[in-house]
Amino acid sequence: MTEATERFFESLPARAPEILRGLVSGTLQIELSSGNRTEHWRVQMQPGAIEVSRHRGPADAIWYSSEDLFDRLVTGRAQGISAVLRNECTFSGNVVLFLAFRRFFPNPPGTRDPREVAREQAGRLP
């Protein structure tokens, strides 16, 4: 398990009030594999709160990923939906939980909000 992934999971409870504002509620089991070893993360989400544990248990959705891909996701070098569509990882269960969880991942380095760019461009008009 990389340090970036460990820090990512540790940061979730503090970031949840800002990110989980909707009515999302449920448990996401994340299975991260590397060779013959699998790390288990259980993420319980509810509006404004999240609980993280390293135990397996009943879940509304399960996400299977390699440790390498997950490390790229938590550092902004990969995008969750793109990874699923390219079949780099798999997901089963309540897709709303995956869509909510992916909002915790950072944007790629150098990414800017298009509204910010438009405001800058508008400010440069004669």
Side-chain angles (χ1 to χ4, degrees):
M1 183 68 43
T2 68
E3 186 177 328
T5 297
E6 291 279 348
R7 281 194 319 259
F8 171 79
F9 280 111
E10 288 172 2
S11 74
L12 295 180
R15 297 171 54 214
E18 178 185 327
I19 294 174
L20 293 178
R21 294 182 182 174
L23 299 176
V24 173
S25 183
T27 303
L28 173 62
Q29 181 75 37
I30 301 171
E31 304 285 328
L32 304 178
S33 62
S34 178
N36 296 342
R37 186 175 49 87
T38 302
E39 298 281 338
H40 310 283
W41 294 89
R42 191 165 183 266
V43 180
Q44 257 184 298
M45 293 183 272
Q46 56 190 354
I50 200 167
E51 291 180 31
V52 178
S53 72
R54 299 293 300 265
H55 307 298
R56 295 181 76 177
D60 301 301
I62 304 173
W63 183 12
Y64 302 93
S65 174
S66 69
E67 284 184 6
D68 178 59
L69 171 61
F70 203 80
D71 186 56
R72 288 185 284 135
L73 291 167
V74 302
T75 57
R77 295 178 288 140
Q79 296 297 304
I81 291 190
S82 298
V84 169
L85 293 175
R86 284 192 303 266
N87 207 27
E88 294 178 333
C89 59
T90 58
F91 181 84
S92 64
N94 185 347
V95 72
V96 172
L97 296 175
F98 171 74
L99 295 174
F101 186 76
R102 73 182 174 94
R103 294 176 45 210
F104 285 96
F105 295 128
N107 291 323
T111 301
R112 297 179 55 203
D113 185 329
R115 294 171 292 191
E116 179 184 314
V117 174
R119 286 184 201 109
E120 287 176 8
Q121 294 297 322
R124 293 183 188 156
L125 293 175

